[in-house]
Amino acid sequence: MTALADLINLDLSDSTDQIIAEYIWIGGSGLDMRSKARTLSGPVKDPSELPKWNYDGSSTGQAPGDDSEVILYPQAIFKDPFRRGNNILVMCDAYTPAGEPIPTNKRHAAAKIFSDPNVVAEETWYGIEQEYTLLQKDIKWPVGWPVGGFPGPQGPYYCGVGADKAFGRDIVDSHYKACLYAGINVSGTNGEVMPGQWEFQVGPTVGIAAADQVWVARYILERITELAGVVLSLDPKPIPGDWNGAGAHTNYSTKSMREDGGYEVIKKAIEKLGLRHKEHIAAYGEGNERRLTGKHETADINTFLWGVANRGASIRVGRDTEKAGKGYFEDRRPASNMDPYTVTSMIAESTILWKP
């Protein structure tokens, strides 16, 4: 009898030129990911070669039942680490049949900002640190934690090694390799301060591609946790009390910041971010007030401050950047459940286009 795994791993290129394209989009909550597959006649290299598709928006909270059709526009292609071969993952955004972006389509507005000539000229680089928590499926409690109880206090778990310190490394490493296979610029991963919590970093990546890659990396992670029988949580404070929350620290630089004299450009950009602190906080993720308390390596949500090597600040500048007089800074305010299209484009808009 043929094993199920053998069928899952069938190499289609042995018998057909056809490929499978998994179309991915963001659902009605703005955080849930949806996908469905279709057959294409042959390999595809560019999103412009792909057909638009549709789905039932009334089943995702994105359209009424009497006018439920939502149209998917392919925007970015990645190699499929699950089906492999010439099969692909396709990141899409969503529109009405009339061609208007639906309310949950944050990519459309971001694309406008990133296509502005002033933003293009600055070659915006992003490095996004996506933190997440792995939960036991049936009880929604972090993996490695005793049922109904707590592990020892924080301290030994950050970048920890050992069966009593690192929980879920097989998932983490599988995700790391799958993302690299897909063509996502994952630059690293590590265990976080709270046990059962991990982080991967995407970047440096230019412009809107950084957000596309974070979304597809999240999709791949959700698929892997599905296979492993655990639940992925992007909640910014999954466990109340004296435990670290989960963020999506966003490292950022422009061409002007990376050139000689860039430190002054960085300071001016940070000043502009401070003037729009409330607007950024409002767009940086749901439930962030539970995380940004002024404790556990955060600044208070109502306070904007920056500093060199200060992990309790809103904006952190690295020692190397200060010493070199150029480089990048880290916005530590975004929550783990932030929309990367919103956050990356808003930082670019505030620091490049916005005039106080």
Side-chain angles (χ1 to χ4, degrees):
M1 181 181 291
T2 301
L4 184 60
D6 292 337
L7 293 174
I8 291 173
N9 294 319
L10 273 178
D11 184 356
L12 296 180
S13 63
D14 291 341
S15 58
T16 180
D17 290 331
Q18 293 176 308
I19 68 163
I20 301 172
E22 189 79 24
Y23 279 46
I24 303 166
W25 71 96
I26 300 158
S29 72
L31 192 63
D32 60 309
M33 303 203 74
R34 311 286 180 126
S35 73
K36 61 177 183 173
R38 68 182 298 166
T39 305
L40 301 176
S41 59
V44 174
K45 298 296 184 184
D46 190 88
S48 63
E49 302 173 40
L50 289 165
K52 295 174 184 176
W53 206 6
N54 64 73
Y55 67 92
D56 172 16
S58 69
S59 295
T60 63
Q62 294 171 297
D66 61 354
D67 188 15
S68 64
E69 191 168 283
V70 180
I71 312 302
L72 292 171
Y73 287 31
Q75 299 291 357
I77 292 176
F78 300 86
K79 293 171 66 178
D80 186 339
F82 303 102
R83 297 188 177 105
R84 306 181 193 178
N86 290 320
N87 304 300
I88 56 175
L89 304 176
V90 183
M91 189 65 206
C92 305
D93 57 356
Y95 296 79
T96 68
E100 295 296 320
I102 66 173
T104 51
N105 180 354
K106 307 303 181 185
R107 192 186 193 282
H108 180 79
K112 285 186 175 181
I113 292 170
F114 283 117
S115 63
D116 185 286
N118 294 300
V119 177
V120 172
E122 283 290 355
E123 298 174 11
T124 54
W125 289 6
Y126 295 91
I128 299 173
E129 305 170 27
Q130 176 68 70
E131 295 179 343
Y132 61 93
T133 308
L134 299 174
L135 304 178
Q136 301 170 57
K137 186 173 71 170
D138 295 329
I139 59 174
K140 302 296 175 67
W141 199 237
V143 296
W145 289 39
V147 176
F150 296 87
Q154 295 182 153
Y157 309 108
Y158 172 70
C159 297
V161 178
D164 58 344
K165 305 178 191 71
F167 312 119
R169 191 185 297 277
D170 53 346
I171 293 170
V172 173
D173 204 43
S174 297
H175 176 250
Y176 195 170
K177 292 177 180 178
C179 285
L180 290 175
Y181 177 93
I184 295 170
N185 187 23
V186 171
S187 50
T189 187
N190 60 269
E192 269 302 330
V193 177
M194 189 184 85
Q197 193 177 79
W198 295 81
E199 171 186 303
F200 64 89
Q201 303 95 32
V202 172
T205 306
V206 179
I208 203 166
D212 286 334
Q213 291 189 21
V214 169
W215 272 117
V216 176
R218 287 176 174 179
Y219 173 82
I220 292 172
L221 181 55
E222 191 115 45
R223 287 280 303 274
I224 291 172
T225 56
E226 174 189 320
L227 293 170
V230 303
V231 174
L232 169 66
S233 173
L234 296 182
D235 190 296
K237 187 73 173 179
I239 305 297
D242 194 20
W243 303 96
N244 273 35
H249 302 157
T250 301
N251 299 275
Y252 171 73
S253 71
T254 63
K255 185 178 180 182
S256 299
M257 294 176 189
R258 297 187 295 269
E259 294 176 343
D260 290 343
Y263 194 49
E264 291 304 312
V265 180
I266 288 172
K267 289 193 287 186
K268 288 177 182 177
I270 293 172
E271 181 181 356
K272 293 170 79 173
L273 289 174
L275 294 173
R276 301 190 80 189
H277 178 63
K278 289 184 178 179
E279 292 93 327
H280 278 257
I281 287 295
Y284 273 16
E286 294 293 326
N288 213 7
E289 72 283 351
R290 293 183 282 116
R291 167 181 163 260
L292 296 181
T293 62
K295 301 176 182 179
H296 305 109
E297 300 182 290
T298 69
D300 181 84
I301 195 168
N302 296 311
T303 303
F304 182 87
L305 59 95
W306 73 278
V308 176
N310 183 359
R311 296 184 183 275
S314 312
I315 306 288
R316 181 184 68 87
V317 175
R319 290 284 183 202
D320 288 347
T321 293
E322 180 188 43
K323 184 177 180 180
K326 57 185 176 182
Y328 70 98
F329 64 81
E330 174 192 49
D331 190 339
R332 297 179 60 80
R333 297 171 295 172
S336 51
N337 60 2
M338 63 80 161
D339 188 319
Y341 293 128
T342 299
V343 169
T344 56
S345 61
M346 195 171 192
I347 292 173
E349 180 187 29
S350 292
T351 59
I352 300 171
L353 302 179
W354 183 63
K355 306 298 182 185

